[in-house]
Amino acid sequence: MNPRDDISFLVGSDSRVRVLRLLHEQSLRPTEIVDRCTCTRETVQRTLSGFGDLGWVEKTDKHYHTTLAGDMVLESYEDLSSVVTEVHELRPFLEHASEEFHDLPPGVLSSTTITTATRENPHAPINRYLELMRDGHVGRFRGVTPIVSGVFNQASESAIGPETDMELVIDDSVLERSQEDYQDALQVAYDLDQFTLYLSSEPIEFGLAIIDDVSWLGAYDDNGNLVACVDSDHPALFDWAMSVYERRREMSIELDAPADEASVAVASDGGDATAEGEAESSLESE
């Protein structure tokens, strides 16, 4: 048999995995295995025979137990089963994850809370973000966003306190939309001393927020809808998220509030009027 055949034999029946687990925990007689795994005697005999041929179990004084090889196989199977289960749970996030997320630290997603948009609750990821922001005034916020939303703007404004240090990276599309539909929120960002806004030199296709010690990652569909998010206070995720943010910030320029065109025009008109008045006075004196 080759490795693929060995794997097929193990996973070909749930009872085989149960038998291997039982024998990993303690040595048992065949009748005891039958009672504990609710298998037929014939099934247990075939399983023990197959495991014996593979070198995964051995018999000592009428009792069967796993060998070192059997322990290794079971451990690897359990690890793989855990990863597959995790991938299944994270599937909505992984399917829409930006390429920026492909170098996430191995295993770090297993420590996260995943929130997925469903037909029954399409706003679940947004609500999760709001929960994180509503815990009180944020001390430090670092964010990258591919969209602009009134809900997100309000959450950010409510989270800003006197001591908040907030930075946000956006791209051209977000800036243009903000200028058109969210001028008040954009002006707040310009006016607050503790809020720094950056414009990315490249389009942004992912969401990232560092809310004090919590890291939040958002995955969006092609229409810009937030379909899933994960968050955690795991130190490895925090370090990774901060490095991604800083890398994106280095590719950006700090945005300053644009000059008020109306004020500039008034100032210009006033200057011209003054000049004209001085010219007229000069002519009258002559």
Side-chain angles (χ1 to χ4, degrees):
M1 299 178 77
N2 58 44
R4 180 174 294 181
D5 292 334
D6 296 350
I7 295 171
S8 297
F9 179 77
L10 175 63
V11 301
S13 169
D14 290 340
S15 63
R16 292 171 190 166
V17 176
R18 291 199 298 272
V19 168
L20 197 61
R21 285 174 178 152
L22 285 171
L23 298 182
H24 170 73
E25 295 170 357
Q26 64 182 119
S27 298
L28 295 170
R29 294 172 178 267
T31 53
E32 295 173 319
I33 299 173
V34 171
D35 293 337
R36 298 193 183 194
C37 80
T38 63
C39 308
T40 65
R41 184 178 183 85
E42 291 74 15
T43 296
V44 169
Q45 290 292 354
R46 286 196 299 269
T47 299
L48 293 175
S49 176
F51 284 168
D53 292 341
L54 294 170
W56 296 353
V57 302
E58 61 185 11
K59 182 179 181 182
T60 303
D61 295 332
K62 299 183 180 180
H63 288 72
Y64 288 84
H65 59 87
T66 54
T67 61
L68 176 59
D71 291 338
M72 291 174 62
V73 168
L74 179 62
E75 181 180 0
S76 297
Y77 169 81
E78 301 287 23
D79 289 344
L80 177 59
S81 179
S82 176
V83 169
V84 172
T85 300
E86 180 182 332
V87 168
H88 179 75
E89 295 173 350
L90 290 166
R91 184 175 178 179
F93 176 82
L94 297 174
E95 286 183 340
H96 296 90
S98 163
E99 291 185 4
E100 200 84 29
F101 295 162
H102 287 190
D103 64 343
L104 275 163
V108 73
L109 288 178
S110 62
S111 68
T112 63
T113 297
I114 179 168
T115 308
T116 304
T118 63
R119 182 175 300 178
E120 295 76 19
N121 190 2
H123 303 302
I126 297 176
N127 292 334
R128 177 57 181 170
Y129 177 85
L130 297 179
E131 288 177 13
L132 297 174
M133 294 291 283
R134 285 173 179 164
D135 284 344
H137 284 162
V138 174
R140 173 185 55 196
F141 179 93
R142 299 290 183 268
V144 179
T145 180
I147 64 159
V148 59
S149 161
V151 174
F152 281 93
N153 289 343
Q154 292 173 7
S156 298
E157 289 182 31
S158 64
I160 298 177
E163 305 300 324
T164 301
D165 176 18
M166 182 171 285
E167 296 180 2
L168 181 65
V169 179
I170 61 175
D171 60 15
D172 284 325
S173 65
V174 173
L175 178 60
E176 181 179 350
R177 177 78 188 281
S178 297
Q179 291 171 333
E180 292 176 354
D181 300 331
Y182 300 99
Q183 293 182 4
D184 291 343
L186 185 60
Q187 191 60 49
V188 169
Y190 287 137
D191 292 343
L192 288 173
D193 292 335
Q194 66 266 48
F195 193 112
T196 307
L197 195 60
Y198 293 92
L199 181 64
S200 173
S201 60
E202 295 183 359
I204 298 173
E205 299 178 346
F206 64 97
L208 180 150
I210 301 170
I211 307 166
D212 291 328
D213 296 328
V214 175
S215 303
W216 177 94
L217 307 179
Y220 297 79
D221 63 17
D222 294 337
N223 296 318
N225 298 310
L226 180 61
V227 296
C229 67
V230 296
D231 63 87
S232 172
D233 60 359
H234 194 292
L237 181 60
F238 175 87
D239 292 341
W240 175 88
M242 187 61 77
S243 68
V244 171
Y245 172 77
E246 291 176 346
R247 185 166 64 244
R248 180 63 65 158
R249 185 180 60 186
E250 290 173 359
M251 301 164 52
S252 308
I253 59 171
E254 183 175 341
L255 284 175
D256 295 322
D260 189 330
E261 296 179 1
S263 298
V264 172
V266 169
S268 176
D269 291 342
D272 292 343
T274 301
E276 291 174 359
E278 292 177 350
E280 290 175 356
S281 297
S282 175
L283 289 174
E284 290 175 355
S285 64
E286 291 177 359

